[in-house]
Amino acid sequence: MIRKKGLIVTYIVLITASFLSVFPLYYMLCGATNTSIDIIRGRLIPGTYLIENFKTLMDNQNLPLALWNSVRNSVVVTFLTLLVCSIAGYGFEIYHDKYKDSLMSVLLVAMMLPFVATIVPLFKLFSKLHLINSVAALILPTVSTPFMIMMFRQAARSFPHDIIEASRLEGLGEIRIFFTMFIPVMRSTYGAAATVTFMNAWNSYLWPKIIFQSNESITMPMLVANLKGGYFVDYGMLMLGVLICTLPTAIIFLALQKSFANGITGAIK
């Protein structure tokens, strides 16, 4: 009897948590299909105003350009971050010595420094390099992060060193060992890192807003922020914009959720 009551309480808690997790997405879906007045009134039933909201969004904002810029920036940042950080993490662990441990300690301390504190020096640096309003200025500060380096270093610790020694005896070079041995074995770690990096790059707002100074460089978070300006807010159009901005990250996470779970678990061990 006590066990049955415990199961009932557990199910109630899980159902409540699931509802609270799904409700914001459901609210966005409802808002994207309703008028602004219906949203203000608190209507929680899907409507028939989706096409009108989409037309209004297209008339007021350059949605295709924002989507293209966000996809391009996120894909390039994710690819370069995985490449650079995995090589760094692999090097820290496979070619281990006390000096690399000291450098890693400095990187870990740097994790405590908020990105906001580095914005002014970074802006001055890229301004002197004449890289303002360029994709390079967006990518370079984010292509190598202490967290990702630490994650790949932890993953490299579980990588069988016997494979490396056997490959060296077979005459394989270090670069080939990395690309043909390490990367295939660490697929789950790459999946987890890709998920985190893509979501961070896609949702980034402050640094792109500062570094990009033309309308041609608008991204989806910047577009959504523009929808809230002025004296009147069209909540239907706003909800549709937020929904479109959310879908790519949700799709990436759902597609890589198994690799994400396995990669995070493997990095912690």
Side-chain angles (χ1 to χ4, degrees):
M1 187 68 180
I2 297 177
R3 183 180 178 184
K4 187 175 181 180
K5 289 183 179 179
L7 287 174
I8 293 174
V9 173
T10 301
Y11 281 122
I12 292 174
V13 173
L14 292 176
I15 292 172
T16 304
S18 300
F19 174 78
L20 293 176
S21 300
V22 175
F23 180 76
L25 180 59
Y26 175 77
Y27 186 74
M28 279 193 299
L29 288 169
C30 292
T33 60
N34 284 303
T35 64
S36 184
I37 296 176
D38 289 333
I39 296 172
I40 294 174
R41 290 175 178 174
R43 180 173 177 175
L44 296 177
I45 301 174
T48 59
Y49 213 72
L50 176 63
I51 296 177
E52 287 76 5
N53 286 334
F54 184 76
K55 290 180 179 178
T56 305
L57 179 61
M58 292 292 290
D59 291 338
N60 286 272
Q61 300 292 330
N62 196 338
L63 180 61
L65 179 62
L67 281 172
W68 162 248
N69 288 336
S70 290
V71 170
R72 179 200 62 194
N73 296 343
S74 301
V75 170
V76 173
V77 168
T78 301
F79 174 77
L80 292 179
T81 299
L82 294 184
L83 180 63
V84 173
C85 292
S86 61
I87 292 175
Y90 178 85
F92 270 112
E93 181 59 30
I94 302 303
Y95 308 104
H96 183 268
D97 59 51
K98 62 179 182 180
Y99 300 106
K100 291 186 178 67
D101 286 341
S102 301
L103 181 57
M104 193 66 204
S105 300
V106 174
L107 291 176
L108 293 178
V109 171
M111 290 178 62
M112 297 184 290
L113 186 66
F115 182 73
V116 178
T118 64
I119 286 180
V120 174
L122 282 174
F123 183 82
K124 289 183 176 180
L125 173 63
F126 288 115
S127 179
K128 291 181 179 180
L129 295 174
H130 304 288
L131 292 176
I132 298 298
N133 202 36
S134 67
V135 179
L138 172 71
I139 295 174
L140 291 176
T142 58
V143 75
S144 177
T145 61
F147 174 76
M148 284 297 160
I149 294 175
M150 180 186 68
M151 182 177 177
F152 278 106
R153 186 194 184 194
Q154 292 297 108
R157 288 185 174 178
S158 62
F159 183 72
H161 287 218
D162 294 340
I163 295 179
I164 299 176
E165 296 299 331
S167 300
R168 288 171 178 169
L169 292 175
E170 291 293 329
L172 294 181
E174 298 298 324
I175 296 177
R176 190 174 178 185
I177 292 174
F178 176 80
F179 283 101
T180 60
M181 300 294 179
F182 180 77
I183 291 181
V185 172
M186 295 298 169
R187 286 193 303 268
S188 59
T189 303
Y190 277 91
T195 303
V196 174
T197 305
F198 184 88
M199 293 176 68
N200 289 337
W202 182 274
N203 294 323
S204 179
Y205 171 76
L206 183 58
W207 181 242
K209 184 69 174 178
I210 293 173
I211 208 69
F212 291 140
Q213 300 180 350
S214 67
N215 293 330
E216 288 73 21
S217 302
I218 188 173
T219 62
M220 283 303 300
M222 294 163 64
L223 181 144
V224 172
N226 291 340
L227 299 178
K228 297 186 294 183
Y231 297 99
F232 171 76
V233 179
D234 188 335
Y235 289 102
M237 180 179 63
L238 176 61
M239 287 292 183
L240 180 58
V242 173
L243 180 63
I244 295 174
C245 186
T246 304
L247 284 178
T249 55
I251 293 172
I252 291 295
F253 181 78
L254 291 175
L256 299 176
Q257 60 177 332
K258 185 176 181 180
S259 296
F260 177 81
N262 293 335
I264 292 296
T265 303
I268 293 174
K269 289 182 179 179

